[in-house]
mmCIF file of all heavy atoms in Angstrom:
data_model
loop_
_atom_site.group_PDB
_atom_site.id
_atom_site.type_symbol
_atom_site.label_atom_id
_atom_site.label_comp_id
_atom_site.label_asym_id
_atom_site.label_seq_id
_atom_site.Cartn_x
_atom_site.Cartn_y
_atom_site.Cartn_z
ATOM 1 N N ASN A 10 -150.677 -133.524 109.948
ATOM 2 C CA ASN A 10 -152.087 -133.576 109.593
ATOM 3 C C ASN A 10 -152.879 -134.254 110.710
ATOM 4 O O ASN A 10 -152.722 -135.431 110.961
ATOM 5 C CB ASN A 10 -152.234 -134.336 108.278
ATOM 6 C CG ASN A 10 -153.584 -134.149 107.671
ATOM 7 O OD1 ASN A 10 -154.573 -134.071 108.370
ATOM 8 N ND2 ASN A 10 -153.620 -134.075 106.360
ATOM 9 N N ALA A 25 -165.666 -139.609 98.643
ATOM 10 C CA ALA A 25 -167.037 -139.109 98.449
ATOM 11 C C ALA A 25 -167.819 -139.139 99.761
ATOM 12 O O ALA A 25 -168.734 -138.337 99.962
ATOM 13 C CB ALA A 25 -167.757 -139.934 97.390
ATOM 14 N N TRP A 27 -166.545 -138.434 102.646
ATOM 15 C CA TRP A 27 -165.876 -137.535 103.592
ATOM 16 C C TRP A 27 -165.591 -136.182 102.931
ATOM 17 O O TRP A 27 -164.461 -135.868 102.591
ATOM 18 C CB TRP A 27 -164.565 -138.172 104.073
ATOM 19 C CG TRP A 27 -164.775 -139.516 104.671
ATOM 20 C CD1 TRP A 27 -164.716 -140.728 104.049
ATOM 21 C CD2 TRP A 27 -165.126 -139.783 106.032
ATOM 22 N NE1 TRP A 27 -164.996 -141.735 104.926
ATOM 23 C CE2 TRP A 27 -165.252 -141.190 106.155
ATOM 24 C CE3 TRP A 27 -165.337 -138.981 107.150
ATOM 25 C CZ2 TRP A 27 -165.586 -141.797 107.361
ATOM 26 C CZ3 TRP A 27 -165.667 -139.597 108.340
ATOM 27 C CH2 TRP A 27 -165.787 -140.981 108.434
ATOM 28 N N ALA A 35 -156.021 -129.320 101.294
ATOM 29 C CA ALA A 35 -155.653 -127.959 100.911
ATOM 30 C C ALA A 35 -154.850 -127.234 101.983
ATOM 31 O O ALA A 35 -154.240 -126.207 101.712
ATOM 32 C CB ALA A 35 -156.915 -127.152 100.583
ATOM 33 N N LEU A 36 -154.836 -127.751 103.200
ATOM 34 C CA LEU A 36 -154.232 -127.065 104.330
ATOM 35 C C LEU A 36 -152.714 -127.038 104.239
ATOM 36 O O LEU A 36 -152.087 -128.036 103.908
ATOM 37 C CB LEU A 36 -154.663 -127.773 105.621
ATOM 38 C CG LEU A 36 -154.614 -126.996 106.902
ATOM 39 C CD1 LEU A 36 -155.456 -125.734 106.827
ATOM 40 C CD2 LEU A 36 -155.101 -127.873 108.039
ATOM 41 N N SER A 49 -163.154 -116.237 123.055
ATOM 42 C CA SER A 49 -163.255 -116.145 124.499
ATOM 43 C C SER A 49 -162.640 -117.425 125.060
ATOM 44 O O SER A 49 -163.072 -118.529 124.684
ATOM 45 C CB SER A 49 -164.717 -116.002 124.927
ATOM 46 O OG SER A 49 -164.816 -115.887 126.319
ATOM 47 N N ILE A 50 -161.641 -117.295 125.907
ATOM 48 C CA ILE A 50 -160.898 -118.447 126.415
ATOM 49 C C ILE A 50 -161.847 -119.502 126.973
ATOM 50 O O ILE A 50 -162.707 -119.209 127.799
ATOM 51 C CB ILE A 50 -159.871 -118.000 127.476
ATOM 52 C CG1 ILE A 50 -158.806 -117.129 126.809
ATOM 53 C CG2 ILE A 50 -159.234 -119.217 128.152
ATOM 54 C CD1 ILE A 50 -157.836 -116.494 127.778
ATOM 55 N N THR A 55 -161.910 -117.874 116.693
ATOM 56 C CA THR A 55 -161.906 -117.774 115.237
ATOM 57 C C THR A 55 -160.534 -117.284 114.805
ATOM 58 O O THR A 55 -160.054 -116.253 115.290
ATOM 59 C CB THR A 55 -162.987 -116.803 114.730
ATOM 60 O OG1 THR A 55 -164.247 -117.222 115.235
ATOM 61 C CG2 THR A 55 -163.031 -116.791 113.223
ATOM 62 N N THR A 62 -152.085 -115.896 98.400
ATOM 63 C CA THR A 62 -153.312 -115.089 98.303
ATOM 64 C C THR A 62 -154.530 -115.811 98.875
ATOM 65 O O THR A 62 -155.642 -115.299 98.811
ATOM 66 C CB THR A 62 -153.600 -114.722 96.834
ATOM 67 O OG1 THR A 62 -153.743 -115.927 96.078
ATOM 68 C CG2 THR A 62 -152.497 -113.856 96.253
ATOM 69 N N ALA A 68 -163.185 -121.714 112.868
ATOM 70 C CA ALA A 68 -163.839 -121.362 114.128
ATOM 71 C C ALA A 68 -164.118 -122.653 114.881
ATOM 72 O O ALA A 68 -164.445 -123.673 114.280
ATOM 73 C CB ALA A 68 -165.138 -120.618 113.864
ATOM 74 N N SER A 73 -171.142 -125.706 123.752
ATOM 75 C CA SER A 73 -172.314 -124.863 123.492
ATOM 76 C C SER A 73 -172.430 -124.561 122.002
ATOM 77 O O SER A 73 -171.467 -124.139 121.377
ATOM 78 C CB SER A 73 -172.201 -123.537 124.246
ATOM 79 O OG SER A 73 -172.111 -123.760 125.629
ATOM 80 N N GLY A 87 -162.194 -106.960 95.385
ATOM 81 C CA GLY A 87 -162.692 -107.906 94.401
ATOM 82 C C GLY A 87 -163.506 -109.029 95.001
ATOM 83 O O GLY A 87 -163.785 -109.049 96.201
ATOM 84 N N PRO A 107 -172.088 -134.498 110.377
ATOM 85 C CA PRO A 107 -171.731 -134.507 108.959
ATOM 86 C C PRO A 107 -171.219 -133.117 108.561
ATOM 87 O O PRO A 107 -171.515 -132.120 109.216
ATOM 88 C CB PRO A 107 -173.058 -134.828 108.267
ATOM 89 C CG PRO A 107 -174.106 -134.390 109.226
ATOM 90 C CD PRO A 107 -173.518 -134.560 110.599
ATOM 91 N N PRO A 113 -170.071 -120.071 98.277
ATOM 92 C CA PRO A 113 -170.581 -118.745 97.923
ATOM 93 C C PRO A 113 -169.460 -117.817 97.437
ATOM 94 O O PRO A 113 -168.281 -118.047 97.716
ATOM 95 C CB PRO A 113 -171.157 -118.229 99.247
ATOM 96 C CG PRO A 113 -170.325 -118.908 100.286
ATOM 97 C CD PRO A 113 -170.020 -120.269 99.721
ATOM 98 N N ALA A 124 -172.467 -120.776 111.988
ATOM 99 C CA ALA A 124 -173.274 -121.549 112.933
ATOM 100 C C ALA A 124 -172.529 -122.830 113.272
ATOM 101 O O ALA A 124 -172.149 -123.590 112.372
ATOM 102 C CB ALA A 124 -174.638 -121.868 112.332
ATOM 103 N N MET A 125 -172.316 -123.057 114.562
ATOM 104 C CA MET A 125 -171.579 -124.238 115.003
ATOM 105 C C MET A 125 -172.415 -125.064 115.968
ATOM 106 O O MET A 125 -173.037 -124.525 116.878
ATOM 107 C CB MET A 125 -170.269 -123.816 115.666
ATOM 108 C CG MET A 125 -169.313 -123.113 114.719
ATOM 109 S SD MET A 125 -167.795 -122.570 115.512
ATOM 110 C CE MET A 125 -168.380 -121.142 116.427
#
Side-chain angles (χ1 to χ4, degrees):
N10 194 324
W27 304 92
L36 202 57
S49 181
I50 294 173
T55 304
T62 59
S73 300
M125 296 178 285

